[in-house]
Amino acid sequence: MTANHPGSGIWQSAPRVEDDQLLRGQAQFLDDVPMDDACHACFVRSAQAHARIVSVDTTQARGIPGVVGVFVKQDLFGELTSWRMPLGFALAALPENTTPFVLVDHEVAFVGEAIAVVVASSRHVAEDAASRVQVHYEPLPVVANCRDAVRPDSPTVRTELSSNVLQRYTLAYGSVDEEFAKASVLISEDFWAHRGGGHPMEGRGVLAKVEKSTGTLMVWSSTQMAHELHYTLALMLGQPEERLRVITPEVGGGFGAKFMIYPEEVVIPALARKLGRPVKWVEDRREHFISAVQERDQYWSVQLAADREGKIRGLRGTLIHDHGAYTPQGTNVPYNAASSITGPYIVPSYGLDVSVVHTNKVPVATIRGAGYPQAAFVMERLMDRLARELGLDPVECRQRNLIPADKIPYVKPLKSRAGLPLTIDSGDFPALQARAVEASDRPGFAARRQASESRGRLRGWGMANSVKPTGRGPYESVRLKIQPSGTVAVYTGALAMGQGLKTTLAQLCAPHFGLLPQAIEVLAGDTAMIGYGHGGFASRQAIMAGNAVSQAARKLREKVLKVAAAVLGVDASVLQLSQGEAHSLDFSHRISLARLSMLMKGVPGYTLPLVDDPGLEETVHFHCDAQTYAGACHLCEVEVDPEIGHIEVQRYLAVQDSGNIINPQLAEGQVVGGVVHGLGNALFEHMAYDEQGQPLNTTFGDYLLPTAPEVPPIQVIFAPSPTTLNELGIKGVGECSTIAVPAAVVGAVEDALWSRGVRISEFPLTPMRVAELIGHSRASEKNR
Amino acid sequence: MKAIDKPSTVTLHVNGQPRCGQAEPRLHLGDFLRNELGLTGTHLGCEHGVCGACTVLVDGVSSRSCLMLAVQAEGAQVRTVEGLAQVDGPLGVLQQAFHDSHALQCGFCTPGILMSLTELLETHPAPDEAAIRDVLSGHLCRCTGYQNIVAAALKAVAAVQRGGQP
Amino acid sequence: MKAPSFQYVLPQTLEEALRAVHEMEGARILAGGQSLLAMLNMRFAFPEVLVDIGRIGQLSHITDHGESIEIGAATRQRDIEFSDLIARRLPVLREAILHVGHRQTRNRGTVGGSLCQLDPSAEIPTIAMAMDATLTAASVRGQRQIQMADFPAGYMTPSLEPDEMLVAVHLRPWARGHGYAFEEYARRHGDFAIVAVAVLIELDEQGVVDRVSMTLGGISSMPVRVSAAERLLLGSRAQAADLKAAAACCRTVEASSDSHVQGWYRQHLAQVLCERALKRALARVER
């Protein structure tokens, strides 16, 4: 664990400024925001996966004491400019009828889809009323599995569609057929990769109120994208932008589930405006299961071609991706998976046919990792197969294929979804892998395996490499201001959801003014405080907001010194900033930042001390379209109980290249958290549905997240290859450590069971499945 | 012995102070603490007894406040996260250890965990890592991966053994 | 996930409680609430009245009657966990109780609550079955004894009249020095078991098994005594082959399948866990 160094400074483990309020229970999450006279909403959600809505009878519901109203789609006429949500990431070429409806009235397409909303004096009463809303359904054919949905004769998941295949495309480069024709080694395999939901401990929530004196619609949302919400609400509600304000309270985790603008986030403000009363909706856990975006199934059928030395010559195959019933926000997940699979390896030829397929289930969108874990799983399992086939050490096999340092920057032959080249800008993958292997005490593995065997356990060793572009552009914004009170405030469009954003930005800002991070006030995600921003996703904020605040602080420091020099009548070079003042070394000349700010606000009739824009303020929009690549190498050891299939991860090592690390303790926390999310994906999390599209896991009792006893000791090593794409040389962290985990863990289990003839090409991997693969079921291979 | 079907007054002690509020029978203790008494530090993550975010101490023992009715807390001594430190006073030993060890990220699950660990520290002289992980098994955290929480708890154990108050 | 409305009654005595469940339509007993309140929050149950027995002192006790130990139905699971008497004389119960949920669960959950919930994987019903517990049920009409074997009427359904409630469970300790073991496999610590096994065993001076009990929890809708295994072991010397043969009987126990776990795996687990439990139990026998 990194030691904690109190005090300022970038590249140090400064303690978090966020903690005090959180530890005392004083921080305000969405449901804690005080609001007099709020009424409470509960959505009536579809109980069927696909059906025509014949009628919705709200009479009984409306009669319940305490009910303010029960609203169906028609009741919002006049509040909405459209019945359908706008497409998030609207630049993608997708059909117009692909986005979710604000509320549905004619046809439901997944269990959980919102049909009506009850507003009442309490959530209790609202739920009472919601249960009295009578929806009469006429069932329509349900398509619950994407492998069925992709067939041309399949019924469609919505009657407005003519096909369930939303997108079909091929990503390819090089001479795939030629390479395969002459390859000495061919590996073929089918894979099932499944990930579940985000499941932040705090669910979604929206609170809205019209501030009557100004007519401003105030909206609080537990979101990862405040400005996008502002844009969407202005559009969907026809609310003038300057009379609309989105405020982000403390957010209890996001993980991609809140990286979305949801119909609920439109309905609640619409109701607040319509009713002239504050309205609040706080999601419960069941709603998160059935209406918050998630990732789910991908079915890969792939072939790897290689030469006798284990050098990969080509990769080809097909991917069928379960996309869910609608497209709220583009189709990144499959594209990311399909375009990232080659990872840090040189793959001279490639061809993947991708089908993005609708199903009658909750829409699929990015969850932490965003499609990268699935791809890394496929690539790394193929690597292990290749190594076995050739009798090569898996480390060596990978070594022979890793992009060498002298080929960096490496332009991948594929393009991003925006058509930009994918260039791995930095990273020394062979060194990263070597570092990981060296730190893992591989020579000691044989003895550890023997010790495991003496206890009746089979021990296995697994590894996986990954690389992820971070720092999603096009920009992030910071407004830095020294107030006349002397407060130094950072307003940013970046968003906090637990990753210590405020501390990080304060750390980057404070040294420029000779202050401690605790002296910097950071306000994130308030659209009234800063005009533009994108928010927290894609492991971008350290880079984007970090560099923005760094640049703003540098500029503002210069201005402060200039103003101080002018006021004090000395040369700026003799002045320094500390303790809230500009002063000479011996303090013979000194002036407070507060007074400088006051002087720069100006007095009518008097010139400003410096002929410049008033105030002490700098706004920087840090631009960066090119992403910087963060590599990782993970190694793990597992013990398998061959009698019952129980898997225990014994040790886990994550070596991470995130460039220069602003705060090592925070960054390490991100890596550990990401690994544990990955463990959830590898061994526990299955968002299962039956053939009727009914979700089978809707509580934490049957959808399993890892708890402390399941987590092994996780060692984190940072091995930076700083990037030149931004001044600070930093790369993202947030999602990176989730990516390689399923591959490393499943690889280790397979290694443990190799001598039993077990081959594993799926995740999540359950003990029952392991027992089946070992042969304990005496039944034929399950048809999934 | 009559049946209550309307809101009634519940009187109890919270963090050492006498408090009272209105609760209809179905209102759970978590909602009562949060909405009636304004103590929003206790959070609700699942309301079906798995995530542990709602954990408080009732008469000295940890309880999921979503699985207790407010009316059941009549006359009880309840402790919540707000009681672990004086307003404007220093953080308690456990809270300080969490801060030093970076044992919280979003902080949503933290209050519940603090209460469970408080119970542990007050009832066990020297819990080891296994005992700590055992207590933590009743809590879900999606952010931290638990490692730093365990480290913080061990730090607090050591501090208590050196003479601090848990 | 907010509970539907119900009336709430807080009886101070057992008589008051019995009268309440007899007179009030749609009344359900609220004990620890760890199952019932979760079900209410999820709106899986709609009782009209909750009769809270948590303050009836006479229902919460652990009493040593010599040949048997009586546990009041409203005794908190934590009291079982920390009881010296239970640890000494009903050690398999103590071992099992540590697997019941988590600290918070056991702080409030009750023995009677778990018995009446009859979750197929629950540890307490499994132990009660293993030890041939006798349950005392009461109503306004008086008390009656129910043998544990007769207690489950079906999946999560106790053989109690609508106005009857459990007041106590009686467990007869096995001979001093008996062997015992409780094994369970769950995905995570504190989860409901996929399969659990409770074994008690006694050997005579010659090392021959003269008493044995083997019970499976989680394999079907209620705990199952594997009588075939018990018959095999009785009179044997409990050698490795005997243990294997006994464990193999689990393969013939009917096992349920659901969306998460298939029946074959339950049978397979049962077999493996039985053998492990038998070995551990034998190792504990004090000769």
Side-chain angles (χ1 to χ4, degrees):
Chain A
M1 239 248 327
T2 357
N4 188 11
H5 299 285
S8 74
I10 179 173
W11 322 132
Q12 288 186 349
S13 293
R16 289 200 343 161
V17 306
E18 295 88 338
D19 283 359
D20 193 79
Q21 292 292 92
L22 291 168
L23 288 165
R24 292 176 191 269
Q26 300 298 332
Q28 280 184 0
F29 295 87
L30 189 284
D31 196 24
D32 308 332
V33 174
M35 184 64 64
D36 292 329
D37 196 38
C39 43
H40 300 263
C42 173
F43 285 88
V44 177
R45 297 186 181 278
S46 173
Q48 303 251 357
H50 191 202
R52 196 165 0 252
I53 297 176
V54 176
S55 63
V56 180
D57 185 353
T58 63
T59 334
Q60 253 192 57
R62 275 183 279 120
I64 292 181
V67 170
V68 173
V70 182
F71 305 92
V72 295
K73 174 177 143 181
Q74 276 72 21
D75 299 319
L76 296 180
F77 186 82
E79 297 298 331
L80 301 176
T81 60
S82 163
W83 296 129
R84 293 192 99 120
M85 300 293 290
L87 180 66
F89 300 170
L91 298 182
L94 287 168
E96 274 198 16
N97 66 351
T98 197
T99 60
F101 293 91
V102 179
L103 291 173
V104 284
D105 65 350
H106 57 291
E107 181 178 334
V108 291
F110 66 94
V111 171
E113 190 170 12
I115 298 169
V117 57
V118 177
V119 180
S121 54
S122 72
R123 173 75 184 204
H124 294 73
V125 173
E127 287 191 21
D128 293 341
S131 69
R132 302 282 209 287
V133 172
Q134 289 167 337
V135 182
H136 183 196
Y137 301 97
E138 202 174 270
L140 291 169
V142 173
V143 195
N145 190 304
C146 58
R147 286 184 301 182
D148 297 326
V150 74
R151 294 207 284 260
D153 58 350
S154 169
T156 57
V157 307
R158 306 196 309 271
T159 55
E160 63 181 340
L161 297 175
S162 53
S163 160
N164 292 323
V165 181
L166 176 68
Q167 288 177 327
R168 183 174 269 135
Y169 53 86
T170 299
L171 290 187
Y173 61 81
S175 329
V176 174
D177 294 335
E178 219 180 276
E179 292 288 1
F180 271 81
K182 66 181 195 206
S184 336
V185 184
L186 278 178
I187 311 276
S188 264
E189 189 70 70
D190 291 344
F191 296 95
W192 172 58
H194 175 98
R195 303 184 70 220
H199 289 290
M201 284 303 114
E202 182 206 24
R204 299 169 296 160
V206 191
L207 170 64
K209 152 187 180 147
V210 176
E211 208 287 290
K212 294 199 168 121
S213 57
T214 59
T216 302
L217 178 57
M218 315 264 296
V219 179
W220 291 257
S221 180
S222 191
T223 181
Q224 291 174 241
M225 41 203 306
H227 284 81
E228 186 71 13
L229 179 58
H230 185 279
Y231 159 76
T232 307
L233 288 176
L235 180 68
M236 290 293 288
L237 302 182
Q239 180 79 9
E241 278 97 340
E242 70 280 359
R243 291 215 307 281
L244 173 65
R245 179 175 178 187
V246 174
I247 301 174
T248 316
E250 286 295 332
V251 175
F255 310 111
K258 297 173 182 174
F259 173 52
M260 178 60 62
I261 308 299
Y262 288 95
E264 292 91 338
E265 288 174 291
V266 171
V267 170
I268 299 303
L271 289 173
R273 196 175 64 179
K274 182 181 171 70
L275 296 172
R277 276 183 70 178
V279 180
K280 177 155 77 168
W281 170 70
V282 177
E283 156 180 84
D284 66 33
R285 189 54 52 180
R286 181 163 187 272
E287 287 182 277
H288 192 85
F289 276 103
I290 64 175
S291 60
V293 295
Q294 50 193 235
E295 292 191 16
R296 276 190 310 269
D297 298 317
Q298 288 190 350
Y299 295 97
W300 297 69
S301 190
V302 285
Q303 295 179 298
L304 185 75
D307 65 22
R308 289 247 148 258
E309 273 70 58
K311 295 208 76 145
I312 296 171
R313 300 305 312 164
L315 176 64
R316 71 181 177 193
T318 61
L319 161 61
I320 301 176
H321 168 90
D322 171 2
H323 181 66
Y326 296 91
T327 314
Q329 192 195 76
T331 49
N332 312 0
V333 176
Y335 193 87
N336 288 348
S339 61
S340 75
I341 183 170
T342 59
Y345 302 110
I346 296 184
V347 176
S349 69
Y350 177 66
L352 190 74
D353 295 324
V354 181
S355 300
V356 179
V357 183
H358 282 300
T359 55
N360 285 116
K361 302 184 207 170
V362 180
V364 166
T366 54
I367 297 299
R368 184 183 202 168
Y372 283 76
Q374 297 90 318
F377 181 74
V378 172
M379 190 72 222
E380 293 297 316
R381 302 281 50 251
L382 287 171
M383 264 309 172
D384 280 340
R385 293 269 184 287
L386 179 61
R388 292 275 185 186
E389 180 72 23
L390 294 173
L392 277 176
D393 173 10
V395 176
E396 178 59 30
C397 186
R398 288 169 169 81
Q399 180 75 21
R400 293 181 186 183
N401 290 286
L402 284 172
I403 300 166
D406 60 13
K407 286 209 155 51
I408 301 287
Y410 181 81
V411 181
K412 299 186 96 177
L414 288 174
K415 296 218 183 329
S416 78
R417 60 177 184 259
L420 298 170
L422 296 171
T423 305
I424 299 183
D425 62 303
S426 59
D428 186 343
F429 302 107
L432 195 71
Q433 178 175 283
R435 182 81 194 274
V437 174
E438 181 206 305
S440 70
D441 183 28
R442 206 174 175 211
F445 177 73
R448 291 191 291 275
R449 181 164 51 191
Q450 246 185 325
S452 296
E453 248 174 69
S454 69
R455 283 179 289 106
R457 301 279 184 272
L458 299 177
R459 194 177 188 95
W461 183 98
M463 74 177 292
N465 288 310
S466 67
V467 66
K468 181 167 200 304
T470 61
R472 170 80 56 202
Y475 67 84
E476 191 49 80
S477 307
V478 160
R479 181 165 73 95
L480 177 57
K481 179 169 181 177
I482 301 176
Q483 306 275 15
S485 63
T487 305
V488 181
V490 174
Y491 306 103
T492 180
L495 273 175
M497 63 206 70
Q499 70 280 61
L501 177 77
K502 295 187 183 181
T503 301
T504 314
L505 297 185
Q507 264 181 277
L508 289 168
C509 175
H512 293 273
F513 303 100
L515 294 169
L516 292 179
Q518 294 87 315
I520 311 292
E521 185 128 344
V522 181
L523 205 87
D526 183 340
T527 60
M529 295 297 159
I530 184 154
Y532 294 92
H534 278 295
F537 52 92
S539 311
R540 66 186 297 273
Q541 296 195 124
I543 298 165
M544 303 302 283
N547 277 281
V549 82
S550 189
Q551 285 181 11
R554 224 193 5 257
K555 282 189 187 172
L556 187 54
R557 174 193 165 82
E558 258 182 57
K559 181 171 182 180
V560 167
L561 289 172
K562 272 202 199 135
V563 175
V567 171
L568 294 170
V570 297
D571 197 271
S573 60
V574 313
L575 294 176
Q576 55 187 233
L577 301 181
S578 75
Q579 295 159 70
E581 294 191 339
H583 61 88
S584 57
L585 191 59
D586 61 358
F587 283 85
S588 55
H589 300 278
R590 64 196 296 182
I591 184 165
S592 70
L593 296 182
R595 183 157 178 84
L596 287 173
S597 173
M598 188 279 291
L599 290 172
M600 282 306 286
K601 93 177 160 53
V603 177
Y606 292 78
T607 51
L608 292 172
L610 188 72
V611 179
D612 195 348
D613 289 340
L616 292 178
E617 186 172 328
E618 284 295 335
T619 296
V620 168
H621 308 284
F622 175 72
H623 295 265
C624 194
D625 292 304
Q627 297 193 274
T628 173
Y629 280 70
C633 182
H634 289 192
L635 272 81
C636 84
E637 290 178 24
V638 304
E639 262 188 0
V640 180
D641 179 333
E643 287 188 308
I644 62 179
H646 178 65
I647 301 160
E648 198 172 286
V649 183
Q650 291 281 301
R651 39 160 65 189
Y652 202 95
L653 168 65
V655 179
Q656 177 71 33
D657 165 22
S658 284
N660 295 327
I661 305 287
I662 301 167
N663 185 323
Q665 191 182 40
L666 299 196
E668 184 187 86
Q670 289 290 294
V671 174
V672 171
V675 167
V676 176
H677 191 148
L679 285 179
N681 291 143
L683 300 174
F684 293 101
E685 297 182 47
H686 186 193
M687 196 55 229
Y689 288 76
D690 69 14
E691 307 227 311
Q692 290 311 307
Q694 293 291 333
L696 296 171
N697 311 335
T698 56
T699 72
F700 279 147
D702 31 44
Y703 183 90
L704 307 181
L705 296 181
T707 63
E710 288 81 53
V711 176
I714 299 171
Q715 185 189 0
V716 178
I717 296 176
F718 287 106
S721 288
T723 178
T724 53
L725 286 183
N726 65 75
E727 286 180 316
L728 295 172
I730 61 185
K731 305 186 187 185
V733 186
E735 295 168 278
C736 298
S737 59
T738 305
I739 296 169
V741 185
V745 172
V746 170
V749 176
E750 188 180 86
D751 181 56
L753 299 172
W754 187 264
S755 55
R756 302 282 182 115
V758 169
R759 310 288 175 259
I760 309 173
S761 53
E762 63 194 76
F763 75 91
L765 186 62
T766 64
M768 182 176 85
R769 181 69 177 137
V770 170
E772 184 179 30
L773 289 167
I774 292 175
H776 291 309
S777 70
R778 286 185 271 108
S780 54
E781 186 76 10
K782 254 170 53 152
N783 235 13
R784 260 171 279 106
Chain B
M1 177 202 70
K2 57 182 181 46
I4 307 172
D5 59 356
K6 287 194 246 305
S8 63
T9 306
V10 175
T11 309
L12 70 170
H13 279 77
V14 183
N15 300 325
Q17 298 297 313
R19 301 292 304 262
C20 66
Q22 294 291 102
E24 57 171 341
R26 62 171 162 170
L27 189 74
H28 62 55
L29 180 60
D31 274 337
F32 179 78
L33 291 168
R34 291 175 50 77
N35 301 323
E36 272 297 292
L37 302 187
L39 295 166
T40 57
T42 302
H43 302 138
L44 304 175
C46 77
E47 288 184 303
H48 50 273
V50 183
C51 79
C54 69
T55 303
V56 296
L57 299 185
V58 179
D59 294 329
V61 301
S62 56
S63 308
R64 300 185 200 270
S65 62
C66 74
L67 295 187
M68 224 183 125
L69 302 176
V71 293
Q72 292 185 294
E74 175 68 34
Q77 297 277 348
V78 174
R79 289 164 65 194
T80 71
V81 63
E82 288 93 341
L84 293 180
Q86 302 279 10
V87 174
D88 296 331
L91 294 176
V93 167
L94 187 59
Q95 290 164 308
Q96 186 63 43
F98 266 56
H99 179 58
D100 295 337
S101 300
H102 184 39
L104 64 155
Q105 292 184 22
C106 83
F108 193 78
C109 72
T110 307
I113 292 178
L114 286 172
M115 299 322 293
S116 280
L117 288 175
T118 297
E119 181 193 33
L120 180 67
L121 291 178
E122 288 177 354
T123 55
H124 280 70
D128 59 8
E129 177 166 342
I132 291 166
R133 282 194 191 255
D134 186 67
V135 165
L136 291 178
S137 69
H139 290 271
L140 294 178
C141 173
R142 196 46 152 171
C143 293
T144 67
Y146 309 103
Q147 192 151 278
N148 286 353
I149 298 175
V150 174
L154 288 169
K155 208 175 239 179
V157 168
V160 168
Q161 290 186 319
R162 283 196 305 270
Q165 278 287 94
Chain C
M1 286 162 63
K2 306 299 182 188
S5 281
F6 51 83
Q7 292 181 66
Y8 174 82
V9 176
L10 183 64
Q12 299 298 312
T13 66
L14 177 56
E15 288 64 44
E16 284 184 355
L18 294 178
R19 228 181 320 123
V21 295
H22 178 68
E23 287 166 9
M24 303 181 84
E25 193 72 47
R28 269 188 87 146
I29 300 290
L30 172 63
Q34 300 303 288
S35 303
L36 183 57
L37 292 182
M39 283 167 56
L40 283 174
N41 288 348
M42 292 190 284
R43 295 197 178 217
F44 288 162
F46 297 86
E48 298 189 29
V49 187
L50 286 193
V51 180
D52 185 347
I53 61 169
R55 310 252 182 171
I56 302 176
Q58 73 190 106
L59 288 179
S60 178
H61 64 96
I62 303 169
T63 307
D64 186 355
H65 291 302
E67 294 244 319
S68 78
I69 293 173
E70 180 186 342
I71 302 172
T75 305
R76 305 275 179 197
Q77 290 155 6
R78 70 171 283 123
D79 292 335
I80 301 293
E81 186 180 344
F82 296 123
S83 158
D84 283 331
L85 176 67
I86 301 285
R88 261 183 304 115
R89 306 206 57 216
L90 300 173
V92 75
L93 174 58
R94 168 120 210 300
E95 189 172 25
I97 208 106
L98 294 173
H99 291 272
V100 175
H102 308 101
R103 175 82 272 135
Q104 301 101 312
T105 322
R106 300 196 292 279
N107 282 343
R108 291 200 62 78
T110 65
V111 172
S114 176
L115 279 169
C116 292
Q117 181 73 2
L118 272 179
D119 188 292
S121 327
E123 293 82 0
I124 292 173
T126 302
I127 295 299
M129 192 66 84
M131 298 195 71
D132 298 306
T134 305
L135 311 179
T136 304
S139 71
V140 292
R141 297 175 292 287
Q143 290 197 346
R144 64 184 181 106
Q145 310 301 321
I146 310 172
Q147 297 311 309
M148 183 62 196
D150 303 322
F151 188 61
Y155 173 70
M156 295 183 74
T157 311
S159 302
L160 291 172
E161 298 295 315
D163 65 345
E164 235 181 346
M165 68 178 264
L166 197 66
V167 295
V169 55
H170 306 261
L171 296 163
R172 279 168 293 280
W174 284 39
R176 236 169 260 281
H178 73 275
Y180 66 92
F182 181 84
E183 284 275 334
E184 90 166 36
Y185 184 56
R187 287 302 316 274
R188 300 171 307 178
H189 183 77
D191 283 347
F192 276 118
I194 302 174
V195 168
V197 180
V199 168
L200 296 105
I201 195 164
E202 285 176 12
L203 304 177
D204 67 17
E205 287 102 32
Q206 282 76 40
V208 172
V209 177
D210 67 358
R211 193 179 178 199
V212 65
S213 163
M214 191 157 96
T215 310
L216 300 178
I219 195 151
S220 67
S221 61
M222 55 194 79
V224 174
R225 287 283 289 269
V226 193
S227 1
E230 293 172 3
R231 283 194 299 274
L232 260 174
L233 286 166
L234 263 175
S236 79
R237 296 192 152 277
Q239 302 294 294
D242 303 310
L243 304 190
K244 267 207 158 31
C249 292
C250 294
R251 287 245 176 243
T252 61
V253 175
E254 199 177 299
S256 48
S257 288
D258 58 40
S259 56
H260 305 297
V261 181
Q262 298 287 296
W264 71 263
Y265 186 61
R266 289 197 162 93
Q267 287 172 329
H268 173 77
L269 268 184
Q271 179 175 10
V272 173
L273 295 181
C274 270
E275 199 173 336
R276 293 182 186 180
L278 283 165
K279 285 189 181 136
R280 278 204 303 120
L282 283 163
R284 279 187 167 131
V285 171
E286 289 166 22
R287 297 167 213 246

